[in-house]
Amino acid sequence: ALAPVSRDDIGEVTLIEAESNSPPWGFSLFAGELDNRFASLLGGYDRSGFLVGFILYHALGREAHILKFAVRESHRGTGKGR
């Protein structure tokens, strides 16, 4: 299920980011997006509440721009990113 990422989950987001993107964003960049009124950081959680991926986007009016999208390496190829 998709749900807003809390500040408590930013550490897990940065781990997924490091597996997925080079150079990766760090904790402070993701944490800063939580205070950006145009930003949405959503996490993909499995049934047990384990974070398996995330999407970060900016929305303004009827337009949106995806900044980051990643799925935990162990969950790639399973359809979690659809």
Side-chain angles (χ1 to χ4, degrees):
L2 282 177
V5 170
S6 71
R7 199 167 295 278
D8 293 340
D9 284 341
I10 296 291
E12 287 298 309
V13 168
T14 60
L15 292 175
I16 297 168
E17 170 73 359
E19 291 178 347
S20 305
N21 296 302
S22 181
W25 279 21
F27 185 95
S28 61
L29 287 172
F30 282 107
E33 290 297 319
L34 295 180
D35 298 324
N36 181 340
R37 68 184 182 116
F38 300 109
S40 290
L41 178 56
L42 301 177
Y45 296 87
D46 68 11
R47 293 176 193 257
S48 68
F50 183 68
L51 183 66
V52 298
F54 69 88
I55 184 168
L56 170 64
Y57 65 93
H58 288 175
L60 182 59
R62 295 174 42 187
E63 295 188 21
H65 177 74
I66 296 172
L67 281 79
K68 294 283 183 174
F69 174 84
V71 173
R72 196 177 290 270
E73 191 171 11
S74 61
H75 286 74
R76 292 181 192 156
T78 64
K80 298 285 193 275
R82 290 184 195 177

